[in-house]
Amino acid sequence: MASNKKAPLGSIENPIKFMDQDFKTILEECLKSGQLFCDSTFPAEQKSIGMPEDADPKKAIKWQRPKEISENAVFVEGTTGTTDICQGQLGNCWLLAALSCLTMHPTLFVKVVPPSQSLKKPYAGIFHFRFWQYGEWVEVVVDDRLPVREGRLLFSYSHTRHEYWSALVEKAYAKLVGSYGSLKGGNISEGMEDFTGGIAYSLNVSSRTPRVLWRSLTAALSRGSLLSCFIEASSYHDVGKVTGDGLIKGHAYAITDTDKVKKASDEILLLRLRNPWGFVEYRGPWSDKGKEWDDLDKAEKERIDLKKREDGEFWISAEDFSSLFDIVELCSVNPDTLVEGTTPASPSSPAAPSTWTISEHEGLWITGSSAGGSRRYKKSFWKNPQFELVLTEQDQPEEDDEDDDDEDDDDEEEEMTPEEKKRAEKQKQKAKQCTVLVEMLQKNRRQKDKVHFLYIAFHIYKVPSELQGMCLDRTFFMKNRPVGRSGKYQAQRGVWRKLHLDPGNYIIVASTYRPNNTGEFFVRIFSKTGNTLGTQDFTCSSGYLPVMATPSLPEDHVRVEKTFETEAGPDDRLNAKELMNMFNSVLDRDYHLPLETCRQLIFGEDTKGRSSLSRKQTETLLSSLRNLQSIFFQFDEDSSGTMSPFELSTALEAVGMQCDGQVAQLLSARFASGDLHMPFHGFVSCVTRLRTLFALYESESSQEVKDRGINSWLLQFLVL
């Protein structure tokens, strides 16, 4: 019996509607009115192109629908294939190479390109596509007006020039990121992940022998992984240069198939690649023009579907591939397909059980608060967002399980070599551990025609039992080294690592290389059943009064008495201005308080409705200020009269107040007034405000308020 339960929002069955546009509703409205859809959220204007307009009127861009461009226009011509995609006048080979890979996997393809879309009647000029975005599937609606220059599509087109599905996918993705110009430059893995929701990673070609590499890539293709490759350019000027073999440096190629052929007594291992341009092909051995095919049986050529035409697709031997290419990019649909030889060929097969659980979190790096930089910045690294990872269940890694060591998997020899014995021993150790895969992606880094990725990485630390549940401070990170990391800081969208860790408690610290780099990020952790992930935050608390109860100095007592004799009115009390004059005559110049802070200090005391303080209250408050000055001075290491907001949490702890990450971020933003350094009066205002809120919470009788907790209370009132 079918369940009527609706799929969760953000799933492939129930994607989030981008810009709140519902495809079915718009389609029905257009069919009813007889009007073709015109998308006002991504208009047929230059701003959607996202690049400077060409001054030559002959090169003016027109926006036309497929049937206006080509009489024989179709959405899909026959079946979808790699040659449906050719790169136009836009540097987005990374995206189109990923799209070429996607066409090789029909079950994945229909997730991105929903079926039953056509240019035939009933036709309303509207199409929809789905992309994975940081843990959620998003549906993007577009009209079919496409940019045209001199009668031809400006950007992606099909080899036959009659087919339009790839151009419309490109338009939908451009809308998702802001403009066509925002697609310029990128990593193939970015497109692969957004088309599948999978895990993308890089493999150095030189790390394996040609035969082992070929076998690994063949297995990856059979498991439904997307594969692409490129030759590294030594400099920016080398990008796009064509080598003597007809290959393009810094350019993304899709790996669409592998095969092997017999030539005399030799077995030749081959890979099939595709250039997203749709032309400019490899000219070496086993290419379309290679003479090596002449000695091959006709049946063998037909079996591997050899097509000797300029379509961007070609074969290359594993030996030549290994000597010419540098990097292979792979995208596995789930962690199980990262394990060679253990999963069925179909990535979406229900018969492929997965014991992995996924935990997902979004985070922020905020200037002066949670953007602490790398480990070299010892004073602020600990302020980076921390995520708690609890590993309880050991798991049995698969026999060929590859982790971050990235060792060769060569089992051709019958007898175990010393190296294989070493690996077998290591496998026994893994069996006592927990397998975990951590990936971190930075968000929203495509702006107009520029891609600005921060240098990012994450580190994993083992937490001793006595510190579990606590926010780890600077002292912990000074004394402990990470047990795992993503590797060197990299300026790309995502970094990941697969690790085997002992059962226990850990924290994952997400960071940018330099402090104060503002950004958003997404972390997902794949682990075996029974392991959990949470944010490393805690319940805010205050021990303010005991800490602040310090005896007043004799000279302060004299100063208070003298001030009251000369300044106090008939009620024997001081108002805010009189209080300011007295405090500033006692405190060092760098620690003087403005009138507004003095008003806040008065309202933080029990004045029974008055806006002034008694002698005793003034003397107690001055003693408290002396204490705050001492604590502030401790963190004002350069004697500038200001304190880095990174140290705010620690300074508050010295006062006796412990605040979680969100509360500390709000305090920093409010009382540092947007500056990177907080003056003394900002610190005083911060403490005064917190002290009042803690006291109000303690006096609160509402059970609903108590159930929500102190953290929620503080966040609610700090924004007022």
Side-chain angles (χ1 to χ4, degrees):
M1 190 174 184
S3 172
N4 293 323
K5 189 177 179 181
K6 194 172 183 181
L9 184 64
S11 63
I12 192 68
E13 299 83 8
N14 185 23
I16 292 168
K17 312 294 183 188
F18 187 63
M19 294 188 169
D20 294 324
Q21 291 177 301
D22 183 73
F23 171 72
K24 288 183 180 178
T25 303
I26 299 171
L27 175 63
E28 288 170 5
E29 288 173 354
C30 289
L31 290 174
K32 189 176 180 180
S33 67
Q35 298 291 317
L36 295 181
F37 178 52
C38 292
D39 186 8
S40 60
T41 66
F42 196 68
E45 298 171 6
Q46 190 65 31
K47 68 178 181 180
S48 296
I49 299 293
M51 291 179 286
E53 194 168 359
D54 200 302
D56 187 349
K58 293 180 181 178
K59 294 184 177 180
I61 295 171
K62 294 181 180 178
W63 293 78
Q64 295 180 300
R65 300 186 189 268
K67 292 283 187 182
E68 296 170 337
I69 304 167
S70 169
E71 227 178 276
N72 305 318
V74 291
F75 184 66
V76 175
E77 190 171 22
T79 58
T80 56
T82 55
T83 57
D84 298 348
I85 308 156
C86 297
Q87 186 179 344
Q89 297 177 44
L90 186 62
N92 65 338
C93 62
W94 62 275
L95 183 72
L96 302 183
L99 196 56
S100 288
C101 296
L102 189 70
T103 63
M104 306 303 296
H105 303 281
T107 54
L108 299 177
F109 183 82
V110 294
K111 289 184 176 182
V112 175
V113 185
S116 305
Q117 299 195 80
S118 172
L119 290 167
K120 296 178 182 177
K121 292 183 179 180
Y123 162 72
I126 181 172
F127 292 86
H128 63 129
F129 304 94
R130 294 182 295 230
F131 306 106
W132 182 86
Q133 290 286 283
Y134 313 107
E136 299 172 322
W137 284 90
V138 177
E139 183 176 72
V140 181
V141 172
V142 290
D143 64 34
D144 61 354
R145 294 177 296 174
L146 295 165
V148 173
R149 179 178 281 162
E150 297 177 325
R152 290 195 168 193
L153 283 174
L154 185 61
F155 303 129
S156 175
Y157 61 95
S158 76
H159 199 263
T160 65
R161 295 193 179 272
H162 299 310
E163 194 168 44
Y164 285 85
W165 72 263
S166 62
L168 290 167
V169 170
E170 181 186 52
K171 179 176 182 178
Y173 198 86
K175 177 179 175 178
L176 182 70
V177 299
S179 70
Y180 280 100
S182 298
L183 300 179
K184 286 173 67 178
N187 196 300
I188 316 164
S189 61
E190 192 176 342
M192 286 177 164
E193 289 196 336
D194 286 355
F195 292 149
T196 64
I199 308 146
Y201 58 105
S202 298
L203 179 67
N204 280 312
V205 172
S206 61
S207 68
R208 304 187 177 196
T209 65
R211 179 170 290 274
V212 171
L213 178 67
W214 180 88
R215 191 168 64 244
S216 296
L217 300 185
T218 300
L221 283 169
S222 74
R223 295 191 309 271
S225 296
L226 276 59
L227 273 65
S228 62
C229 57
F230 62 91
I231 300 169
E232 287 184 308
S234 57
S235 69
Y236 178 79
H237 299 291
D238 264 359
V239 175
K241 283 190 177 179
V242 182
T243 69
D245 294 310
L247 297 172
I248 304 153
K249 291 184 178 181
H251 183 63
Y253 290 83
I255 301 175
T256 59
D257 200 3
T258 63
D259 214 319
K260 52 188 174 185
V261 295
K262 290 277 188 183
K263 185 176 181 183
S265 60
D266 293 333
E267 183 182 65
I268 311 298
L269 305 178
L270 299 171
L271 296 97
R272 189 173 68 192
L273 273 58
R274 185 166 192 280
N275 179 356
W277 287 356
F279 56 93
V280 183
E281 294 186 8
Y282 173 60
R283 295 193 291 266
W286 297 100
S287 65
D288 285 5
K289 296 178 181 178
K291 294 180 180 179
E292 293 76 14
W293 296 106
D294 298 343
D295 301 327
L296 213 62
D297 290 343
K298 183 181 178 183
E300 192 77 331
K301 285 188 258 188
E302 289 176 353
R303 183 185 64 79
I304 68 168
D305 195 25
L306 178 65
K307 295 184 178 72
K308 292 190 175 184
R309 65 186 184 198
E310 186 73 3
D311 56 6
E313 201 160 62
F314 56 86
W315 290 93
I316 183 172
S317 73
E319 291 281 348
D320 289 334
F321 179 86
S322 292
S323 66
L324 294 170
F325 282 85
D326 298 307
I327 302 291
V328 171
E329 295 271 358
L330 304 92
C331 184
S332 295
V333 180
N334 64 53
D336 286 327
T337 61
L338 292 168
V339 181
E340 297 192 9
T342 61
T343 51
S346 172
S348 59
S349 169
S354 176
T355 57
W356 295 88
T357 56
I358 306 175
S359 298
E360 300 172 337
H361 281 282
E362 293 187 341
L364 295 169
W365 290 300
I366 298 175
T367 298
S369 178
S370 61
S374 61
R375 291 175 66 227
R376 66 180 297 182
Y377 298 94
K378 296 176 181 178
K379 294 178 184 177
S380 57
F381 175 74
W382 68 279
K383 293 302 296 177
N384 284 302
Q386 300 176 16
F387 301 91
E388 188 177 35
L389 178 65
V390 181
L391 301 177
T392 56
E393 292 192 9
Q394 299 172 1
D395 56 75
Q396 180 66 50
E398 299 293 342
E399 193 173 321
D400 291 326
D401 192 2
E402 293 186 28
D403 64 4
D404 52 321
D405 294 329
D406 199 29
E407 296 175 303
D408 289 349
D409 179 29
D410 192 345
D411 55 3
E412 290 187 8
E413 296 295 330
E414 291 287 330
E415 294 183 24
M416 287 180 72
T417 65
E419 184 62 30
E420 286 173 325
K421 288 179 181 177
K422 185 180 175 183
R423 288 194 68 202
E425 190 60 37
K426 188 174 181 182
Q427 198 71 24
K428 286 181 183 178
Q429 176 62 28
K430 286 180 185 177
K432 301 174 185 176
Q433 296 181 311
C434 308
T435 307
V436 61
L437 187 149
V438 182
E439 183 183 39
M440 180 171 73
L441 304 172
Q442 50 185 315
K443 299 173 65 175
N444 307 321
R445 304 307 300 183
R446 292 189 170 275
Q447 299 169 355
K448 297 184 179 178
D449 61 344
K450 290 182 180 178
V451 183
H452 179 55
F453 287 128
L454 302 171
Y455 282 85
I456 61 169
F458 61 79
H459 295 76
I460 300 175
Y461 290 82
K462 182 82 180 281
V463 181
S465 56
E466 65 271 16
L467 294 178
Q468 288 172 15
M470 297 174 63
C471 187
L472 302 179
D473 60 16
R474 177 180 168 184
T475 305
F476 173 86
F477 295 103
M478 294 285 282
K479 293 180 178 179
N480 294 274
R481 293 185 61 80
V483 296
R485 66 189 77 191
S486 58
K488 292 181 179 179
Y489 283 83
Q490 297 182 66
Q492 58 189 45
R493 187 174 76 159
V495 293
W496 77 280
R497 199 71 159 200
K498 188 176 180 184
L499 302 143
H500 297 280
L501 300 170
D502 294 328
N505 284 53
Y506 298 83
I507 60 150
I508 300 166
V509 182
S511 64
T512 58
Y513 183 69
R514 296 191 183 282
N516 296 320
N517 279 331
T518 301
E520 299 175 64
F521 64 90
F522 170 79
V523 174
R524 55 177 171 168
I525 288 87
F526 297 82
S527 61
K528 295 296 184 179
T529 304
N531 297 324
T532 60
L533 176 82
T535 52
Q536 184 69 1
D537 271 342
F538 46 86
T539 301
C540 301
S541 62
S542 173
Y544 175 84
L545 291 176
V547 173
M548 296 305 293
T550 55
S552 59
L553 297 173
E555 57 265 34
D556 286 345
H557 177 74
V558 172
R559 174 65 67 178
V560 169
E561 289 299 318
K562 188 176 180 180
T563 301
F564 266 80
E565 286 176 13
T566 58
E567 301 291 340
D571 59 354
D572 201 33
R573 302 176 74 89
L574 295 183
N575 62 29
K577 189 173 182 181
E578 292 163 344
L579 202 66
M580 179 187 71
N581 292 334
M582 191 207 74
F583 286 158
N584 291 347
S585 69
V586 173
L587 299 171
D588 296 339
R589 186 172 182 178
D590 288 335
Y591 296 91
H592 281 191
L593 302 178
L595 184 61
E596 181 56 35
T597 302
C598 292
R599 288 196 182 105
Q600 292 168 2
L601 286 169
I602 290 174
F603 289 119
E605 298 294 320
D606 181 12
T607 62
K608 294 183 171 52
R610 306 185 194 182
S611 57
S612 55
L613 296 183
S614 67
R615 292 183 187 230
K616 186 176 180 181
Q617 286 175 320
T618 302
E619 193 168 328
T620 302
L621 194 54
L622 181 55
S623 176
S624 295
L625 283 174
R626 289 282 198 195
N627 195 17
L628 287 181
Q629 184 180 14
S630 174
I631 291 170
F632 190 85
F633 183 78
Q634 180 184 341
F635 297 99
D636 179 15
E637 296 182 359
D638 60 357
S639 301
S640 64
T642 60
M643 178 179 68
S644 165
F646 279 128
E647 302 291 356
L648 178 61
S649 294
T650 314
L652 289 173
E653 281 184 35
V655 174
M657 298 172 170
Q658 192 176 33
C659 297
D660 78 340
Q662 280 186 293
V663 170
Q665 287 171 12
L666 269 179
L667 289 169
S668 178
R670 178 157 191 167
F671 295 107
S673 304
D675 293 332
L676 282 181
H677 293 86
M678 181 181 286
F680 177 63
H681 68 80
F683 181 57
V684 172
S685 296
C686 176
V687 171
T688 304
R689 178 77 164 159
L690 270 181
R691 182 189 172 198
T692 303
L693 291 177
F694 275 119
L696 285 172
Y697 180 78
E698 286 302 316
S699 65
E700 181 60 57
S701 58
S702 167
Q703 190 56 45
E704 183 183 348
V705 169
K706 295 294 185 182
D707 289 342
R708 287 206 306 267
I710 180 65
N711 295 37
S712 176
W713 170 273
L714 291 173
L715 290 171
Q716 176 184 349
F717 283 98
L718 282 173
V719 297
L720 298 178

